[in-house]
Amino acid sequence: MLTVWCVKVGDKYTDADVLMLKSQVKRHLSKPHDFWCLSDRKATANTVILRDAWPGWWTKLKLFRFAGEGRHLYIDLDSVIVGISSRCFRISYPCPRIGRSQDMAARNPV
């Protein structure tokens, strides 16, 4: 299943922005998916609340901590979705993970 993510940190965006994006994704994405918001406080969607959110867009990097197996799609809250091409989901390739030191150590022994 596809997981769609957005990030809401600070006061620039509101719950209404999260709901608008969630609605646009639901309207244009026919594939089964979950919608999650990474935030420094509770949002109106499924929310992962960060205790140690970084300022501004830096929090996007924390998505690598929560994005597990499967496919993930990140969309900025200031995006307007007018259509999602099904071609995006036909591509099959292994997605490298960032920050998994045990994997890197296994490939590059000292």
Side-chain angles (χ1 to χ4, degrees), residues 4-110:
V4 179
W5 292 89
C6 68
V7 172
K8 181 182 81 141
V9 175
D11 298 327
K12 184 173 181 180
Y13 298 103
T14 66
D15 284 349
D17 296 312
V18 174
L19 289 176
M20 178 66 74
L21 181 61
K22 182 179 179 181
S23 171
Q24 292 173 22
V25 169
K26 183 178 181 181
R27 184 177 323 122
H28 294 289
L29 182 58
S30 59
K31 299 261 183 214
H33 65 278
D34 289 326
F35 187 93
W36 283 87
C37 182
L38 192 62
S39 182
D40 55 353
R41 62 195 177 281
K42 179 69 178 139
T44 54
N46 295 331
T47 308
V48 174
I49 300 174
L50 299 169
R51 285 180 269 151
D52 57 343
W54 295 336
W57 61 268
W58 286 100
T59 299
K60 293 176 188 179
L61 295 173
K62 298 237 180 199
L63 285 168
F64 288 103
R65 179 186 301 170
F66 300 101
E69 297 299 317
R71 295 194 179 253
H72 299 270
L73 174 64
Y74 168 77
I75 305 174
D76 276 325
L77 282 173
D78 60 357
S79 299
V80 176
I81 309 300
V82 296
I84 298 177
S85 173
S86 62
R87 291 186 308 166
C88 295
F89 306 105
R90 282 187 264 166
I91 301 169
S92 179
Y93 57 90
C95 182
R97 299 285 302 204
I98 296 176
R100 293 183 63 183
S101 58
Q102 67 271 21
D103 290 347
M104 292 167 36
R107 285 191 301 248
N108 302 307
V110 178

